[in-house]
């Protein structure tokens, strides 16, 4: 299985809501990533998990809270978001060592009202 | 430090004609180079990768790229464009052992009948 899955595909939330994005991979990868992508821009790295430990936080606001419950799952908890947080959120995974090619999921399109 | 420059923001071709998307890179390390494609409202799909083996790299869907160290380039080509090739293409650089990918700004490929 060479697929990264993400749920939900679309999410609309108010600024006071709490929601979560989910990502799953079964390729045995031990590194997982969250990216944010605005329209007509490349993806921007948010977080990196290596062996279920947070290894990189790209100074992301605390209203985004990542979680890696096990080696196959990655969550992104959302709370008190702003309209400018509306974007496509992409999850990716890769081997921990060797060539760092990343495999991306289809993304969650988030709209904050 | 690593960086990548995609020389064209938009490229327009007719169906059946060759495609050339240009990418120059800069890296302090022996680079790994990738081309990813993104169709509208989709995730990123890996087209091909260069990892210091053969300098001419073949990818999926008839795409290939040539690594030229003397020119610090990694241009993407395809002999004959298909309508389904219309998408955004990202040139990406990284290095073995590094988890961060450095994305170019993207090239939008338009294919007309």
């Amino acid at each position: 299985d060479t697929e990264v899955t993400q749920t939900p595909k679309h999410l609309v939330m108010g600024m006071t809501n709490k929601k979560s994005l989910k990502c799953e991979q079964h390729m045995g990868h031990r590194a997982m990533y969250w990216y944010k992508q605005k329209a007509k821009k490349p993806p921007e790295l948010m977080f990196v998990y290596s062996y279920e430990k947070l290894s990189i936080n790209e100074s992301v606001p605390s209203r985004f809270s990542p979680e890696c419950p096990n080696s196959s799952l990655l969550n992104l908890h959302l709370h008190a978001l702003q309209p400018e947080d509306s974007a496509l959120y992409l999850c990716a995974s890769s081997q921990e060592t060797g060539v760092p090619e990343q495999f991306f999921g289809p993304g969650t399109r988030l709209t904050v009202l | 430090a690593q960086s990548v420059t995609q020389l064209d923001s938009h490229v327009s071709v007719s169906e059946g004609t060759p495609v050339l998307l240009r990418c120059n890179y800069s890296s302090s390390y022996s680079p790994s180079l990738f081309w990813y494609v993104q169709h509208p409202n989709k995730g990123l799909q890996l087209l091909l990768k260069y990892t210091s083996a053969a300098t001419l790299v073949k990818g999926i869907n008839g795409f290939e790229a040539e690594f030229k160290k003397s020119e610090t380039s990694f241009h993407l080509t395809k002999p004959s464009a298909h309508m389904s090739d219309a998408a955004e293409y990202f040139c990406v650089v990284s290095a073995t052992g590094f988890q961060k990918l450095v994305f170019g700004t993207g090239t939008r490929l338009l294919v007309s009948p």
Side-chain angles (χ1 to χ4, degrees):
Chain A
D1 186 357
T2 58
E3 190 179 42
V4 177
T5 59
Q6 290 187 245
T7 56
K9 291 185 177 179
H10 301 275
L11 180 61
V12 179
M13 60 186 291
M15 290 190 286
T16 59
N17 292 157
K18 287 185 179 181
K19 296 287 185 182
S20 296
L21 310 184
K22 297 185 183 301
C23 173
E24 188 168 7
Q25 59 89 12
H26 293 288
M27 293 179 277
H29 291 164
R30 302 309 297 270
M32 296 186 75
Y33 310 78
W34 280 115
Y35 288 86
K36 174 183 177 180
Q37 187 180 26
K38 301 286 274 185
K40 302 186 188 303
K41 297 289 187 182
E44 300 173 12
L45 182 65
M46 300 175 71
F47 302 104
V48 180
Y49 273 83
S50 296
Y51 294 98
E52 296 97 69
K53 301 286 186 206
L54 182 65
S55 60
I56 296 176
N57 177 342
E58 292 287 275
S59 302
V60 179
S62 60
R63 57 186 183 268
F64 295 91
S65 176
E67 178 195 22
C68 190
N70 60 55
S71 60
S72 299
L73 292 174
L74 186 65
N75 298 321
L76 186 63
H77 303 298
L78 314 173
H79 175 55
L81 295 193
Q82 304 296 311
E84 59 265 30
D85 296 322
S86 299
L88 182 68
Y89 287 82
L90 294 164
C91 174
S93 70
S94 73
Q95 300 282 5
E96 172 59 22
T97 57
V99 175
E101 63 189 281
Q102 295 181 17
F103 295 85
F104 286 81
T108 293
R109 174 70 61 188
L110 174 67
T111 303
V112 182
L113 301 177
Chain B
Q2 299 172 90
S3 66
V4 62
T5 302
Q6 292 185 243
L7 298 166
D8 306 291
S9 60
H10 293 82
V11 170
S12 295
V13 300
S14 298
E15 191 174 22
T17 64
V19 175
L20 170 64
L21 306 183
R22 299 182 295 164
C23 173
N24 287 346
Y25 72 92
S26 173
S27 178
S28 305
Y29 309 94
S30 179
S32 293
L33 291 157
F34 311 90
W35 277 98
Y36 283 87
V37 61
Q38 186 176 31
H39 288 91
N41 296 309
K42 301 290 186 184
L44 279 72
Q45 181 182 21
L46 181 65
L47 277 179
L48 49 79
K49 62 183 180 183
Y50 166 76
T51 59
S52 75
T55 56
L56 183 61
V57 181
K58 294 188 183 298
I60 61 171
N61 301 333
F63 285 95
E64 63 181 39
E66 186 171 9
F67 173 74
K68 292 186 176 180
K69 187 175 181 179
S70 61
E71 299 176 10
T72 61
S73 69
F74 190 58
H75 301 335
L76 182 70
T77 61
K78 183 174 181 178
S80 176
H82 191 273
M83 295 295 291
S84 61
D85 294 327
E88 189 82 19
Y89 291 79
F90 292 101
C91 182
V92 180
V93 65
S94 186
T96 300
F98 283 71
Q99 292 176 318
K100 286 190 178 183
L101 300 181
V102 177
F103 286 81
T105 50
T107 298
R108 178 159 297 275
L109 177 64
L110 306 168
V111 182
S112 56

